[in-house]
Amino acid sequence: MRSLLDNAIYELSLLLPKLAPMAATLEKLGQAMLECWGRRGKVLVCGNGGSAADAMHFAEEFSVRFMSNRRALAAIALCDPTAITCAANDFGYETVFARQVEALGNPGDILVVLSTSGNSPSILRAIEQARKQQMLTAAFLGRDGGQARGQCDLELIIPAHLPHRIQEGHKVLFHTLCEWVEARCQ
């Protein structure tokens, strides 16, 4: 156990400084989210597997509470199991998020995708649908960004290869974003 923990700490000590240059992009996303909410718009968030759990975590930090009581901010994780299984059954798994984006997204809303590889067809289709609907798109990606790289308006790419380290980097970024937004919504 100790060697695994020591290795995790070491890997994170190498990764965390690489996140600092992402501050400007993260602030752009935060500003866009504040402007969206100021127009009574919403932020839709999606991911697969562990990134789906992170999407739910990301959304609830805004719609409910991060660290202090403030107004609720419209953020929705596209993780409803009935919508996912219906879309997968009727149209194929690659459509599970795109169908929800089509139903819920409006021009000026924001889609945030989380993907460690950037290659998931369901994520790529969601981005495509959001762009058709004139939504701002943002991606939390890993590795080299995969096929999603260059497809979104704002991209935060964690320079790591292991999915769990990428997800840990995503969490640092989205918690920082939550703290920044919350400081402006008091």
Side-chain angles (χ1 to χ4, degrees):
M1 176 61 75
R2 179 63 191 254
S3 65
L4 288 173
L5 181 57
D6 286 346
N7 187 60
I9 292 167
Y10 174 72
E11 288 175 357
L12 287 169
S13 74
L14 296 177
L15 176 62
L16 291 174
K18 295 176 182 176
L19 304 183
M22 299 180 198
T25 303
L26 199 60
E27 186 172 344
K28 286 179 187 176
L29 176 55
Q31 190 60 47
M33 292 168 74
L34 289 174
E35 291 170 10
C36 176
W37 290 319
R39 295 186 307 270
R40 302 291 297 154
K42 65 193 148 314
V43 175
L44 305 178
V45 192
C46 63
N48 290 293
S51 295
D54 288 342
M56 290 188 291
H57 184 171
F58 184 91
E60 63 83 12
E61 298 284 29
F62 294 113
S63 64
V64 181
R65 181 179 194 269
F66 180 57
M67 291 178 18
S68 63
N69 294 331
R70 44 111 178 109
R71 69 183 174 97
L73 303 168
I76 304 165
L78 304 179
C79 296
D80 177 341
T82 57
I84 289 172
T85 57
C86 181
N89 186 62
D90 293 353
F91 298 103
Y93 190 82
E94 67 278 1
T95 69
V96 297
F97 302 127
R99 291 295 288 179
Q100 293 180 77
V101 169
E102 183 180 356
L104 300 171
N106 295 309
D109 285 347
I110 298 173
L111 173 68
V112 176
V113 300
L114 295 105
S115 175
T116 59
S117 71
N119 293 322
S120 172
S122 62
I123 294 296
L124 296 169
R125 291 281 293 272
I127 294 167
E128 180 183 329
Q129 185 63 45
R131 292 177 65 145
K132 284 181 187 174
Q133 291 179 220
Q134 300 172 350
M135 296 171 64
L136 181 91
T137 55
F140 287 73
L141 304 168
R143 299 185 181 110
D144 64 358
Q147 294 174 48
R149 184 181 193 131
Q151 301 303 309
C152 290
D153 300 299
L154 299 169
E155 297 174 337
L156 298 147
I157 302 173
I158 304 298
H161 294 282
L162 297 172
H164 51 287
R165 295 293 172 253
I166 294 166
Q167 290 169 337
E168 289 160 352
H170 288 168
K171 282 186 176 77
V172 170
L173 293 177
F174 77 66
H175 279 146
T176 302
L177 178 63
C178 292
E179 190 172 358
W180 187 91
V181 165
E182 195 162 88
R184 285 148 183 79
C185 289
Q186 298 300 325

